[in-house]
Amino acid sequence: MSPLAAVGPAFTQVWTAFTVDTAPTPGVAVVNLVGPGRGNMMGRAFWAELPQVFAALDADESVRAVVLTGAGNHFSTGLDVAEVLGGWMGKLGPGSVAQAAQRTELLGLIREMQAGITSVATCSKPVIAAVSGWCIGGGVDLVSAADVRLASADAKFSVREARLAIVADVGSLQRLRGIIGEGALRELALTGKDITAERAGRIGLVNDMYPDAAALLEAALGMAGEIAANSPLAVAGTKAILNEDREEIVARGLRHVSLWNSAFLHSEDLLEAVAAMGERRPGVFMGH
């Protein structure tokens, strides 16, 4: 197999929230989350570009496996709530009367974000997530859509949405059930607690742990190289078969939570969560 030629649109297009590069290993692409924003936060550019990046990689015959990682010290600190949801505070706030159009628009936004994460899960090229530092909220949604998750010893994971008065709505609640099991999923999702890479390994969230980011990337590239050396037809077929039942169940769950959040996302608790984030204090929630 000839070395990966970086000529496809995934490699040649200039992205805002990502870089896409070739790896020394033939057939392997490396997708880096690069922000913009503190800790590779997931702003509007991220959600717009994510499905485009993975559609381009899916269509590129020179790509046989993908390593997904974060630039800098963290994988991702999750959704940029202020940028993505800030505008909805006014649209659905006090004084609003008829809100069907606004809630329909919000439903469309949620489903676009869901489709972005799903593009990783349904990409015919296997995706290995290599996680260092924080992986919070939307970051966990993203890695739950990968085929394999590896972590460095400093990695920390948090399904944090409940602490922000949000029901996680882009895939972690649906996909993690088959990865870590019902009990661990409910613990993480209902408490919003942070867990270490060691705990993530014990519950099966990550396949293996490495001492530092350099060793992690080396291992991820090595595993991607093993995949890339196999028959691409057999690999794509294997992933399609593995996805069959799961993605049908996931799609049903995503439809449900998108309707739930388009109806109930806006609350006094959400406004309090946003204010608390800005003031760097714990939120005080009253269930309103």
Side-chain angles (χ1 to χ4, degrees):
M1 180 173 57
S2 61
L4 182 65
V7 294
F11 301 97
T12 57
Q13 182 163 332
V14 177
W15 307 102
T16 299
F18 301 90
T19 62
V20 183
D21 301 301
T22 60
T25 309
V28 177
V30 179
V31 176
N32 266 287
L33 282 65
V34 296
R38 173 173 46 86
N40 303 324
M41 291 184 79
M42 299 171 164
R44 291 175 184 166
F46 171 89
W47 295 107
E49 292 177 354
L50 178 64
Q52 298 175 33
V53 168
F54 276 87
L57 291 169
D58 202 353
D60 193 327
E61 292 185 358
S62 68
V63 178
R64 296 189 173 190
V66 179
V67 172
L68 176 63
T69 191
N73 295 326
H74 303 289
F75 182 79
S76 176
T77 51
L79 177 69
D80 188 332
V81 175
E83 182 174 298
V84 176
L85 296 180
W88 295 100
M89 306 306 173
K91 290 184 181 182
L92 298 174
S96 299
V97 184
Q99 299 179 341
Q102 293 93 326
R103 293 186 187 277
T104 300
E105 189 178 349
L106 177 57
L107 176 63
L109 172 64
I110 294 169
R111 288 186 170 172
E112 286 178 11
M113 294 166 66
Q114 291 176 340
I117 299 294
T118 297
S119 72
V120 178
T122 58
C123 178
S124 64
K125 316 301 170 67
V127 179
I128 300 168
V131 180
S132 292
W134 279 111
C135 182
I136 299 174
V140 178
D141 290 297
L142 182 58
V143 301
S144 72
D147 297 279
V148 176
R149 287 150 297 280
L150 305 176
S152 58
D154 71 338
K156 296 180 288 292
F157 299 83
S158 181
V159 183
R160 193 173 289 189
E161 283 85 348
R163 287 166 58 182
L164 302 177
I166 296 173
V167 177
D169 59 5
V170 292
S172 59
L173 299 186
Q174 290 74 29
R175 293 190 174 94
L176 285 181
R177 178 175 287 113
I179 297 169
I180 64 174
E182 191 77 21
L185 171 57
R186 288 176 183 255
E187 177 189 349
L188 297 188
L190 295 173
T191 65
K193 64 170 54 174
D194 308 332
I195 63 169
T196 63
E198 190 274 334
R199 174 80 195 282
R202 282 194 283 117
I203 64 175
L205 179 55
V206 299
N207 292 51
D208 217 336
M209 184 176 68
Y210 299 89
D212 53 40
L216 167 67
L217 185 57
E218 181 180 0
L221 291 173
M223 184 181 293
E226 290 182 78
I227 293 170
N230 292 332
S231 161
L233 293 174
V235 167
T238 299
K239 179 167 179 175
I241 297 303
L242 289 170
N243 276 354
E244 183 69 21
D245 290 340
R246 184 191 74 170
E247 288 305 310
E248 290 180 4
I249 295 169
V250 166
R252 186 168 68 242
L254 291 176
R255 287 193 298 272
H256 185 180
V257 74
S258 65
L259 290 168
W260 180 279
N261 270 359
S262 64
F264 300 121
L265 177 66
H266 189 276
S267 65
E268 294 297 328
D269 281 353
L270 178 59
L271 297 175
E272 163 63 10
V274 172
M277 287 175 63
E279 297 166 12
R280 298 183 179 277
R281 61 172 175 81
V284 179
F285 302 120
M286 305 302 293
H288 300 153

